[in-house]
Amino acid sequence: MNIENPVRLPNKIGMRNIKTAVTAALCALIYYFFDRSPAFACIGVIFGMGQNLSDGYKNGGGNRLYGTIIGGLLGMLLFRLYLFFVPDGHHTPLLALFTLVGTVILILACQSVWSGGVQPGGVVMCIILFNTPVESYVSYALNRIVDTSVGVLMALLVCYLVPMNWRQIWPQRLARYQAFLQRKRAK
């Protein structure tokens, strides 16, 4: 330990920490009732919870979600093509060529949709190509996309419902809603 720069412990648990933890726990609880693993939904929550809604959208909605969708779809397509050449799906040097081509396509696709999606998309694509059994690569990819979407959307919803300055925003939102209802009744 450096005496000039001692390790600083956080002096409080912030609102973002609480929102992330509560949302991840809620996600895990909901998944319990569907007898599904909440792992990727909770990861989506953690990536998707930002300082504010736009930060959450950038990190979770953009990077994590778009990357997972692109990598999952591309991984399914590549592995399906690979199965034409190697029907039992065992690993051969040909899979390295599919990885090369897939990575180039992934980067180009992410650059045209959301450049921050390359890393999470690459993770999903590589897991499908190298670590998913032949009989479950499609369900794995689709489940990964759905679960990530659920987690990211839950995080974005919480970011919207409980923004950093929620004590000021919620009275304004309620006043606008009441004014809307009054105008609707007046018609």
Side-chain angles (χ1 to χ4, degrees):
M1 179 162 94
N2 185 343
I3 296 190
E4 293 176 20
N5 295 319
V7 175
R8 281 188 43 206
L9 296 175
N11 58 0
K12 67 175 186 163
I13 296 175
M15 189 61 157
R16 181 176 174 189
N17 183 316
I18 292 168
K19 291 188 320 187
T20 304
V22 168
T23 307
L26 180 62
C27 209
L29 181 64
I30 290 169
Y31 269 67
Y32 169 80
F33 292 107
F34 291 99
D35 196 31
R36 286 178 61 104
S37 170
F40 295 112
C42 291
I43 291 168
V45 166
I46 292 166
F47 271 84
M49 190 64 67
Q51 292 284 357
N52 52 44
L53 189 58
S54 63
D55 186 46
Y57 180 74
K58 176 185 164 229
N59 292 318
N63 297 350
R64 185 72 184 177
L65 184 56
Y66 289 142
T68 299
I69 291 169
I70 293 168
L73 295 175
L74 181 59
M76 283 192 298
L77 174 68
L78 290 169
F79 199 70
R80 182 70 196 131
L81 291 173
Y82 181 72
L83 291 175
F84 284 122
F85 299 100
V86 184
D88 67 358
H90 72 274
H91 294 173
T92 68
L94 182 60
L95 203 50
L97 178 62
F98 275 78
T99 304
L100 180 132
V101 170
T103 302
V104 169
I105 294 170
L106 173 77
I107 292 169
L108 292 173
C110 286
Q111 285 175 338
S112 65
V113 176
W114 194 278
S115 61
V118 172
Q119 291 84 358
V123 169
V124 175
M125 184 186 77
C126 288
I127 289 172
I128 292 169
L129 291 178
F130 294 106
N131 209 31
T132 307
V134 172
E135 57 278 354
S136 63
Y137 76 96
V138 171
S139 63
Y140 172 83
L142 294 176
N143 283 324
R144 185 83 182 257
I145 291 168
V146 167
D147 294 340
T148 298
S149 299
V150 167
V152 167
L153 291 173
M154 284 184 71
L156 294 175
L157 178 63
V158 169
C159 280
Y160 173 76
L161 293 174
V162 188
M164 283 178 49
N165 52 350
W166 66 276
R167 287 185 184 109
Q168 291 83 31
I169 288 179
W170 268 105
Q172 294 169 359
R173 285 180 181 171
L174 290 173
R176 282 195 307 265
Y177 181 68
Q178 288 172 341
F180 168 77
L181 290 177
Q182 288 174 351
R183 285 192 305 272
K184 193 143 178 108
R185 285 188 206 127
K187 289 183 181 182

